[in-house]
C-alpha cells in the first residue's frame, strides 16, 4: 500500500506531539513515523504496534494517518474522517466514494418542512423535489401530447379530446417512485457502512458538528474533514399571503389536490418547467416575471422556447410582480399584482407557485462557530477546489458561489473531492462546458457558451455562429409545428474553428446534447463536426448538417428533410 493513500490532508501537528519511529517499518508500509499527541493516544499506539499487520491489511484510516511536513501522524481525536452535512446529490456521492477509499464517513440529512408542511426522505432535492419528479411529470405531459398524435398515426382511441389526466394517480405514481429511491439510498448507505443520522446539523467548531434530531436530541460528532452539501430551498417573496397560501416546487410534486388554474411567479428554469408540464397536463397556467427569462442562457433559443410555450397556451405577464394573495370564501386565491407602470391587476387562481429562486441553507449551519465565511449577498460559499476558507471544511453542490446548480455537477465534484482526500488523486473539478437541459414542452439543451457570452468574451469579429431550423421526421404526420426546432453552434473563427457552444431546441434535447458535450471536452472543431456522419433520421444529425453562418445572411430555414 502506498503511503500517499493514507493522507487525509496536511495539518499542523497537535501541540505537545511526540514523533515516534515505528519499529514495524516495512517495504509495504511507508508509515515509518508516527506522532502521538497524548498519553491516551500513546496507549493506542501500543495497540497499534501490536496490530501492525492488521494496520497493513486495512489500507488507510484505521487509524487515520495524516501527513505533515513529510511525517505521518496517527490521529485518534476525531470520530470520522469525513462528516457530511446534507444527504443530497453532492453529499451522498462524496460519502459513497470516501467509504470506498476506506474513510470513516457519516452523513447528516434533515428536511425542514416547507411552509405548506411538505417533507420528504433521504436523497436531497434532485430525488425528492427536483430532477426526478420533474422529469416524470414532464414525461406524463409528453405522453398526453403523444396520445393526441397517436390518432394521426392510425391508433384507434376514444376521442383524444376526452382523455384527461388523473392528478391523484399521477402524483401517487411519482411519489411511489421517489419513496423507492429513498429506500434504495438508505439500504446503500447501510451496506456501504456510511453512518446516517436524520438530524439537522450546525457547527460547534471547525471539527465538531451538533446534529439535532426531530425529537430535539443532540448528537455531537467530530471529524477531521467536514463537507457542506446542504443545497437550498425555494425563496418566498415578502408579500401578504405568500407563506400562507403559496406553494413552491417543494410541494407541487406531492400536492394532494389537482393544481387547477395555476399562477407561477418567476420565469427561471424551475418556473418554466413547472409551467410546461402543468400546461401539458391540461391545466391553465400563467407565468408572471419581473426580469429577462433565463438570463445567462442563449436568448435566441430561450425565446423560441417561450414562443412555443405561448403557442401551447401558457400565458406570460412580463415586468410585473405580485403584491398580495388573499383566500376567497370559495377557497380560491385572489392575486393582486402590479405592472411596470404601477397599475394593479387581479385574477383568481387555484394554485400560486413561487419559483423566484432558491436560498442556500448555510446561515442555519452557524458558520461563524467554525470561522467559515459566506458571500454576504447570497450566503453561498466561495471555495477553491471545493475547499473553503477553513482548510478542513469543504463544500460541494448548490451552496457553491458561481457554480452551476445541477445534480451531476454536485455529484462529480463530491466524488473528485473524496478521491483527493482519501485516494491518490489530484484531479480537480472542471466547471466549464457543463451541459444542461430545460425540460420545457419543446426541450432546450445546451453546452458551453451562449452567443451573447461568446461575443462578450471573444468579440463579435472572432465568433462564428452557425444556425439552422429543421423538421423532425416524427412531426410530419401529426403536422406538428416545426417553426421553433432549431440548432445553433457557437465557434471561434480562428483556432481551427473550435466549438465553444452548442444549442438545440427540439425533442429529446438532453439526449442529443449529452454526446456533443463529450465532443466539446475533446476539443470539437467545425471541420471535425462536418466530417462526422449523421444518423438518419434523427434530430441529433442536424448538428452534422449545419453549414449556414449568421454572418452569411442566408436563410436558415430547412429546404428538405434528406438533402
Ligand atoms: P441537495 O440535493 O439539495 O441536498 C441537500 C440536503 O441537505 C437536503 O436533503 C437538505 O434537506 C439537507 N440539509 C440542508 N441543511 C441541512 C442541515 N443543516 N443538516 C442536515 N441536512 C441538511 N438538476 C439537474 O441536474 N437536472 C434537473 O433536471 C434538475 N431539475 C430540478 C428541478 C427542480 C424543481 C429543482 C428544485 C432542482 C432541480 N435540479 C436539477 C437541481 C438539483 O436538484 C440540485 O442542483 C442538486 O440537488 C444539488 O445537490 P446538493 O447536494 O447541492 O443539495
Amino acid at each position: 500500500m502506498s503511503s500517499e493513500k493514507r493522507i487525509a490532508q496536511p495539518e499542523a501537528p497537535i501541540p505537545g506531539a511526540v514523533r515516534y519511529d515505528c519499529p514495524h517499518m516495512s517495504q509495504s508500509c511507508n508509515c515509518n513515523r508516527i506522532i502521538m499527541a497524548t498519553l491516551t493516544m500513546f496507549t493506542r499506539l501500543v495497540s497499534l504496534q501490536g496490530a501492525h499487520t492488521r494496520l497493513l491489511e486495512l489500507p488507510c484510516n484505521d487509524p487515520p494517518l495524516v501527513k505533515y511536513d513529510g511525517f505521518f501522524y496517527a490521529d485518534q481525536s476525531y470520530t470520522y474522517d469525513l462528516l457530511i452535512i446534507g444527504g443530497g446529490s453532492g453529499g451522498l456521492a462524496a460519502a459513497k466514494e470516501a467509504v470506498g477509499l476506506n474513510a470513516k464517513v457519516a452523513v447528516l440529512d434533515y428536511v425542514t418542512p416547507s411552509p405548506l408542511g411538505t417533507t420528504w426522505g433521504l436523497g436531497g432535492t434532485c430525488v425528492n423535489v427536483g430532477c426526478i419528479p420533474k422529469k416524470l411529470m414532464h414525461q406524463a405531459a409528453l405522453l398526453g401530447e403523444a396520445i393526441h398524435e397517436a390518432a394521426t398515426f392510425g391508433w384507434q382511441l376514444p376521442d383524444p379530446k376526452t382523455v384527461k389526466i388523473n392528478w391523484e394517480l399521477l402524483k401517487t405514481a411519482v411519489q411511489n417512485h421517489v419513496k423507492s429511491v429513498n429506500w434504495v439510498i438508505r439500504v446503500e448507505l447501510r451496506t456501504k457502512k456510511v453512518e446516517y443520522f436524520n438530524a439537522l446539523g450546525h457547527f460547534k467548531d471547525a471539527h465538531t458538528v451538533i446534529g439535532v434530531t426531530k425529537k430535539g436530541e443532540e448528537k455531537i460528532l467530530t471529524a477531521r474533514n467536514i463537507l457542506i452539501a446542504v443545497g437550498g430551498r425555494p425563496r418566498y417573496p415578502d408579500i401578504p399571503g405568500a407563506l400562507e397560501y403559496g406553494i413552491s416546487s417543494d410541494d407541487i410534486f406531492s400536492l394532494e389536490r389537482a393544481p387547477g388554474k395555476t399562477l407561477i411567479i418567476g420565469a427561471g428554469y424551475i418556473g418554466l418547467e413547472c409551467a410546461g408540464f402543468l400546461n401539458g397536463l391540461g391545466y391553465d397556467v400563467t407565468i408572471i416575471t419581473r426580469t429577462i427569462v433565463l438570463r445567462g442562457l442563449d436568448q435566441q433559443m430561450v425565446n423560441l422556447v417561450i414562443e412555443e410555450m405561448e403557442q401551447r397556451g401558457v400565458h406570460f405577464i412580463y415586468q410585473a410582480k405580485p403584491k398580495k394573495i388573499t383566500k376567497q370564501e370559495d377557497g380560491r386565491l385572489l392575486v393582486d399584482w402590479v405592472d411596470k407602470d404601477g397599475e394593479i391587476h387581479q385574477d383568481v387562481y387555484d394554485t400560486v407557485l413561487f419559483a423566484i429562486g432558491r436560498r442556500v441553507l448555510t446561515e442555519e449551519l452557524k458558520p461563524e462557530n467554525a470561522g467559515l465565511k459566506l458571500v454576504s449577498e447570497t450566503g453561498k460559499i466561495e471555495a477553491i477546489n471545493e475547499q473553503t476558507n477553513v482548510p478542513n471544511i469543504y463544500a460541494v453542490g448548490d451552496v457553491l458561489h458561481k457554480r452551476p446548480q445541477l445534480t451531476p455537477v454536485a455529484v462529480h465534484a463530491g466524488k473528485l473531492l473524496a478521491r483527493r482526500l482519501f485516494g491518490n488523486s489530484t484531479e480537480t473539478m472542471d466547471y466549464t462546458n457543463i451541459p444542461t437541459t430545460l425540460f420545457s414542452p419543446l426541450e432546450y439543451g445546451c453546452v458551453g457558451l451562449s452567443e451573447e457570452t461568446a461575443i462578450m468574451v471573444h468579440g463579435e469579429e472572432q465568433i462564428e455562429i452557425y444556425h439552422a431550423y429543421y423538421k423532425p421526421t416524427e412531426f410530419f404526420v401529426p403536422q406538428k409545428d416545426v417553426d421553433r426546432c432549431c440548432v445553433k453552434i457557437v465557434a471561434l473563427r480562428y483556432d481551427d474553428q473550435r466549438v465553444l457552444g452548442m444549442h438545440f431546441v427540439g425533442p429529446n434535447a438532453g439526449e442529443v446534447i449529452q454526446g456533443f458535450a463529450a465532443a466539446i471536452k475533446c476539443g470539437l472543431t467545425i471541420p471535425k463536426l462536418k466530417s462526422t456522419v449523421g444518423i438518419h433520421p434523427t434530430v441529433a444529425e442536424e448538428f452534422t448538417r449545419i453549414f449556414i453562418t449568421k454572418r452569411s445572411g442566408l436563410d436558415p430555414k430547412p429546404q428538405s428533410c434528406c438533402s
Side-chain angles (χ1 to χ4, degrees), residues 85-91 108-111 124-126 129-131 134 199-201 229-231 249 269-270 358 361 365 396-398 405-408 410 439:
I85 317 177
S89 309
L108 271 88
D109 190 65
Y110 190 89
V111 179
T125 304
C126 172
V129 288
C131 333
K134 182 272 302 286
L200 187 67
V230 293
S249 56
Y269 84 94
I270 293 174
R358 293 173 66 80
L361 302 175
L365 292 174
V396 292
D398 284 6
Q405 297 193 332
L406 293 167
T407 279
F439 291 95

Side-chain angles (χ1 to χ4, degrees), residues 40-63:
T40 340
M41 284 183 174
F42 188 79
T43 316
R44 170 78 179 145
L45 177 67
V46 174
S47 69
L48 179 76
Q49 289 169 3
H52 194 77
T53 326
R54 190 175 143 258
L55 177 69
L56 291 176
E57 280 166 8
L58 295 174
C60 37
N61 301 310
D62 189 29

Side-chain angles (χ1 to χ4, degrees), residues 514-555:
Q514 182 66 83
F516 287 108
I520 287 193
K521 277 261 174 211
C522 299
L524 183 67
T525 61
I526 293 291
K528 278 272 178 250
L529 190 62
K530 283 188 175 164
S531 71
T532 303
V533 175
I535 302 172
H536 189 66
T538 65
V539 286
E541 72 172 323
E542 298 302 332
F543 274 126
T544 65
R545 289 154 49 96
I546 200 164
F547 67 98
I548 293 176
T549 63
K550 271 198 176 172
R551 189 172 267 106
S552 73
L554 292 173
D555 183 6

Side-chain angles (χ1 to χ4, degrees), residues 72-300:
F72 287 90
Y73 299 83
D75 188 351
Q76 296 300 307
S77 46
Y78 305 114
T79 315
Y80 300 102
D81 301 322
L82 180 64
L83 175 63
I84 300 171
I85 317 177
S89 309
L92 291 176
K96 288 185 263 179
E97 197 70 17
V99 281
L101 292 163
N102 294 305
K104 194 172 177 207
V105 180
V107 172
L108 271 88
D109 190 65
Y110 190 89
V111 179
T112 310
S114 75
L116 185 72
T118 311
T119 186
W120 51 88
L122 181 59
T125 304
C126 172
V127 166
N128 294 284
V129 288
C131 333
I132 301 301
K134 182 272 302 286
K135 183 78 190 287
L136 294 177
M137 293 221 169
H138 174 62
Q139 175 65 10
L142 293 182
L143 286 173
E145 205 179 318
I147 289 171
H148 292 88
E149 287 167 31
T152 67
F153 283 94
W155 283 99
Q156 309 241 298
L157 300 164
D159 180 2
K161 288 196 193 79
T162 64
V163 177
K164 293 259 177 308
I165 191 76
N166 180 322
W167 176 265
E168 171 64 26
L169 293 181
L170 169 63
K171 181 214 73 179
T172 306
V174 168
Q175 289 306 313
N176 284 347
H177 176 68
V178 168
K179 288 192 176 77
S180 74
V181 180
N182 296 148
W183 172 250
V184 168
I185 295 171
R186 281 195 82 142
V187 171
E188 209 182 354
L189 290 191
R190 204 174 306 140
T191 315
K192 294 196 154 131
K193 301 209 171 11
V194 173
E195 283 186 53
Y196 161 61
F197 300 97
N198 184 204
L200 187 67
H202 66 265
F203 284 103
K204 181 166 182 277
D205 59 49
H207 286 280
T208 313
V209 167
I210 300 178
V212 183
T213 67
K214 207 171 171 181
K215 290 183 186 154
E217 288 159 8
E218 287 196 354
K219 289 187 188 306
I220 299 182
L221 308 165
T222 62
R224 167 158 298 283
N225 301 292
I226 294 174
L227 174 61
I228 301 170
V230 293
R233 294 291 288 272
R235 285 197 290 119
Y236 280 66
D238 187 14
I239 58 164
L243 288 170
E244 295 92 318
Y245 309 124
I247 65 162
S248 72
S249 56
D250 281 356
D251 310 297
I252 186 72
F253 305 110
S254 57
L255 202 62
E256 288 299 334
R257 53 167 182 86
K261 182 177 167 187
T262 301
L263 177 67
I264 296 183
I265 303 181
Y269 84 94
I270 293 174
L272 290 179
E273 289 183 337
C274 289
F277 71 70
L278 289 175
N279 171 256
L281 296 173
Y283 301 110
D284 181 327
V285 181
T286 300
I287 295 185
I288 284 192
T289 174
R290 228 162 30 122
T291 49
I292 301 175
V293 176
L294 288 177
R295 190 180 301 158
L297 293 186
D298 192 284
Q299 288 301 297
Q300 181 192 355

Side-chain angles (χ1 to χ4, degrees), residues 257-454:
R257 53 167 182 86
K261 182 177 167 187
T262 301
L263 177 67
I264 296 183
I265 303 181
Y269 84 94
I270 293 174
L272 290 179
E273 289 183 337
C274 289
F277 71 70
L278 289 175
N279 171 256
L281 296 173
Y283 301 110
D284 181 327
V285 181
T286 300
I287 295 185
I288 284 192
T289 174
R290 228 162 30 122
T291 49
I292 301 175
V293 176
L294 288 177
R295 190 180 301 158
L297 293 186
D298 192 284
Q299 288 301 297
Q300 181 192 355
M301 305 308 253
V302 169
N303 286 336
L304 292 173
V305 168
I306 304 291
E307 277 173 26
E308 176 76 20
M309 289 180 73
E310 282 177 331
Q311 206 218 7
R312 289 174 186 235
V314 177
H315 317 287
F316 282 81
I317 302 172
Y318 293 98
Q319 292 185 291
K321 55 180 181 179
K323 256 192 104 52
K324 69 170 177 191
I325 307 172
T326 40
K327 198 169 197 168
Q328 301 188 143
E329 273 179 12
D330 62 0
R332 301 188 79 204
L333 303 172
L334 178 68
V335 181
D336 288 22
W337 74 89
V338 57
D339 68 19
K340 64 176 186 336
D341 303 318
E343 209 171 304
I344 307 271
H345 304 260
Q346 282 191 330
D347 203 352
V348 177
Y349 299 90
D350 299 299
T351 301
V352 177
L353 187 151
F354 291 107
I356 57 169
R358 293 173 66 80
R359 183 183 74 79
V360 291
L361 302 175
T362 48
E363 285 294 349
E364 292 86 336
L365 292 174
K366 301 192 181 166
E368 62 284 0
N369 292 350
L372 179 72
K373 287 191 193 134
L374 304 180
V375 176
S376 53
E377 308 83 55
T378 58
K380 289 195 175 184
I381 298 172
E382 208 159 5
I384 299 170
N385 294 329
E386 293 77 43
Q387 190 174 35
T388 71
N389 68 298
V390 184
N392 71 299
I393 301 180
Y394 299 84
V396 292
D398 284 6
V399 290
L400 285 179
H401 180 58
K402 290 194 174 163
R403 298 297 187 210
Q405 297 193 332
L406 293 167
T407 279
V409 173
V411 167
H412 205 66
K415 278 188 189 170
L416 293 183
L417 175 67
R419 286 179 205 160
R420 291 198 304 278
L421 288 176
F422 304 108
N424 278 327
S425 175
T426 53
E427 189 183 347
T428 53
M429 176 72 188
D430 177 4
Y431 287 97
T432 59
N433 293 324
I434 305 287
T436 187
T437 289
L438 178 68
F439 291 95
S440 39
L442 193 61
E443 298 170 7
Y444 166 36
C446 62
V447 56
L449 301 189
S450 65
E451 181 175 346
E452 295 82 11
T453 312

